[in-house]
């Protein structure tokens, strides 16, 4: 079927604007092996081996498929330590697509966050932001800064259908800036398609409001552009008056409202490794270049190989192609619509890169301090070899503050990797677990790392978990 835009859709999903040339084998392990793997991993999906996973929806980070153009560009990688041609091609791509004058490559997004925090955050200074991201907040705090959430209330309401849950609460931001700017504000951070809210976008009108406030109070505005292309597409589709603008125009318009950005290029730029700090201010760029040689490498490679820089430069351009971004976003929408049809509680509206299961409503009998989202992620793996990620109290609990926020399981879709059949299978596994949800007990944490505990924490079940999570349907597929 042909949609009004000329794009082809297949059963509601935008047709993939690519075909598959190289494949990687995957297989569903028999259930006894999945049980063993889950026990060995301490019920933490981060600690599973990839060979034990069938459909891997842990993350969209570094898991995209590269294009033939990226592979071809990699052949041109200039591995010179300094002055590499590959760096200048990357710089040209960033200037062309985002318009930022200075580019400092880093090994991945948190490398850029580290440089930014070191360069801009002084002890006691505030960083107001729409919700938070784990590594972004950690780097600000390690530099002595204080994170301030100024997202709109709908951001943490999984049932609110607000189209732009990534918006900042402008009145709240104004209050914070009026009380502290400019001396006690390091910068205002705006994240595109807020990961921890379920991949929810901000509107251009809201970003314009943020720009006016930051300008009036003399503080920098920094974008987390990790999922900028998807945010731009949501603006095109949802924001009145924006449908006629092209995706590249919208991407450039967003970037132009900010003073700089960090990117985890492992997501929307289709590379397995890489990140960027891109800024306009000469002084900030100079400070970042002085820091990058300590933590990442020479400013012309920042911890990446020349061939990585080439793949990244090409990926930045591919990330502006509307059919590519539209297909990706419609994969999330497809999985979400299957789950909604079957009554499974998910975060609405569907975000950019994932479907988020609402574990509080999925497992209402498991109290939040027994880790419902962690429990559910473990159950999905056991039931059908589907790997997902906890985004609830394990990820969000911070210091001694009680955590009462969102309790989500993220089914994250790698870009250009899985087919509609894989997503249909995932929907069946989730439905199977949902049918037996009452049997699932919560978990007890047996090991808690000091930083970013979700990556390596270990758990044990409070009751006979493994029996409850066994899935006849999935075993039948296995047989
Ligand atoms: C919004 C956002 N910012 C920053 C990062 C950190 O990037 P990286 O994982 O490349 O270090 C991530 C990673 O998931 C992210 O989602």
């Amino acid at each position: 079927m042909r949609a009004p835009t000329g794009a082809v859709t297949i059963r509601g999903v935008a047709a993939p604007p690519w075909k598959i040339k190289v494949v990687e084998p995957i297989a569903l392990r028999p259930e006894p092996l999945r049980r063993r793997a889950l026990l060995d991993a301490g019920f933490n999906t981060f600690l599973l081996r990839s060979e034990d996973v069938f459909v891997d929806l842990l993350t969209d980070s570094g898991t995209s498929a590269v294009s033939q153009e990226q592979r071809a560009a990699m052949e041109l990688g200039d591995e010179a330590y300094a002055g590499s041609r590959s760096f200048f091609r990357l710089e040209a791509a960033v200037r062309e697509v985002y318009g930022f004058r200075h580019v400092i490559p880093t090994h991945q997004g948190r490398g850029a966050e580290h440089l930014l925090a070191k360069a801009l955050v002084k002890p006691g200074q505030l960083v107001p932001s729409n919700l938070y991201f784990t590594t972004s907040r950690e780097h600000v705090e390690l530099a002595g800064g204080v994170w301030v959430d100024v997202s709109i209330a709908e951001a943490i309401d999984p049932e609110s259908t607000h189209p732009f849950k990534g918006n900042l609460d402008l009145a709240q931001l104004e209050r914070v800036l009026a009380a502290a700017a400019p001396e006690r504000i390091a910068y205002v951070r705006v994240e595109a398609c807020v990961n921890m809210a379920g991949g929810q976008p901000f509107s251009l009108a809201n970003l314009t409001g943020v720009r006016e406030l930051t300008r009036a109070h003399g503080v920098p505005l920094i974008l987390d552009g990790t999922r900028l292309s998807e945010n731009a597409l949501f603006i095109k589709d949802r924001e009145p008056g924006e449908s006629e603008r092209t995706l590249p125009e919208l991407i450039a318009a967003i970037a132009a409202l900010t003073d700089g950005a960090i990117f985890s290029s492992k997501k929307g730029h289709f590379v397995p490794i890489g990140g960027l700090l891109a800024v306009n201010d000469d002084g900030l760029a100079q400070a970042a270049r002085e820091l990058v040689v300590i933590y990442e490498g020479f400013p012309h490679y920042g911890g990446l190989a020349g061939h990585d820089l080439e793949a990244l430069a090409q990926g930045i351009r591919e990330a502006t192609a509307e059919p590519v971004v539209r297909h990706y976003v419609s994969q999330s929408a497809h999985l979400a619509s299957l789950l909604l049809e079957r009554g499974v509680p998910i975060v609405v509206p569907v975000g950019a890169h994932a479907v988020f299961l609402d574990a509080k409503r999925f497992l209402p009998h498991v109290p939040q301090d027994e880790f419902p989202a962690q429990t559910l992620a473990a159950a999905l793996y056991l039931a059908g070899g589907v790997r997902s990620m906890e985004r609830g109290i394990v990820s969000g609990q911070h210091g001694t503050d009680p955590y009462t926020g969102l309790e989500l399981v993220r089914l994250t879709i790698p870009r250009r990797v899985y087919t509609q059949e894989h997503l249909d299978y995932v929907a069946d596994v989730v439905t199977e677990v949902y049918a037996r949800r009452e049997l699932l007990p919560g978990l007890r944490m047996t090991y808690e790392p000091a930083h970013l505990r979700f990556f390596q924490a270990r758990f044990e079940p409070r009751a006979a978990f493994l029996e409850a999570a066994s899935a006849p349907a999935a075993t039948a597929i296995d047989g």
Side-chain angles (χ1 to χ4, degrees), residues 307-370:
H307 62 247
D308 296 329
L309 302 174
E310 294 286 353
L312 179 47
Q314 173 62 25
I316 286 170
R317 294 200 171 94
E318 290 177 18
T320 66
E322 184 176 326
V324 173
V325 183
R326 193 170 286 290
H327 168 259
Y328 180 58
V329 168
S330 79
Q331 281 202 311
S332 304
H334 171 70
L335 177 56
S337 72
L338 293 178
L339 295 175
L340 284 170
E341 268 167 24
R342 301 167 193 189
V344 176
I346 64 169
V347 174
V348 288
V350 185
H353 58 304
V355 173
F356 289 73
L357 305 176
D358 183 359
K360 280 187 189 168
R361 282 185 290 148
F362 201 115
L363 299 177
H365 59 284
V366 179
Q368 198 158 18
D369 60 2
E370 294 181 13

Side-chain angles (χ1 to χ4, degrees), residues 226-241:
T226 298
R227 297 183 182 85
L228 178 52
S229 297
E230 291 87 10
N231 201 122
L233 187 68
F234 284 131
I235 288 174
K236 185 174 166 71
D237 288 352
R238 296 180 186 172
E239 191 160 352

Side-chain angles (χ1 to χ4, degrees), residues 51-168:
E51 65 184 5
D52 293 331
V53 174
F54 183 36
V55 181
D56 199 346
L57 304 187
L58 182 74
T59 177
D60 61 332
S61 189
T63 54
S64 308
V66 294
S67 66
Q68 59 181 4
E69 285 75 15
Q70 284 178 292
R71 289 205 73 90
M74 288 167 83
E75 290 297 318
L76 302 177
D78 177 352
E79 306 298 344
Y81 189 95
S84 155
R85 293 178 191 87
S86 303
F87 168 76
F88 293 106
R89 284 196 275 265
L90 172 67
E91 185 184 60
V94 171
R95 286 183 177 162
E96 176 190 310
V97 171
Y98 302 115
F100 295 120
R101 295 176 48 233
H102 301 286
V103 185
I104 294 109
T106 56
H107 76 286
Q108 59 184 79
R110 71 199 68 183
E113 291 172 336
H114 183 205
L115 300 181
L116 188 71
K118 283 258 178 205
L120 283 188
V121 180
K122 296 193 194 74
Q125 282 190 320
L126 312 181
V127 176
S129 174
N130 47 355
L131 224 58
Y132 74 100
F133 185 71
T134 53
T135 55
S136 324
R137 181 171 67 185
E138 191 83 19
H139 279 297
V140 164
E141 293 181 352
L142 286 171
V146 180
W147 198 266
V148 185
D149 173 18
V150 289
S151 53
I152 58 170
E154 289 86 346
I156 55 160
D157 177 356
E159 293 180 73
S160 158
T161 54
H162 192 299
F164 292 107
K165 288 183 179 180
N167 280 354
L168 278 71

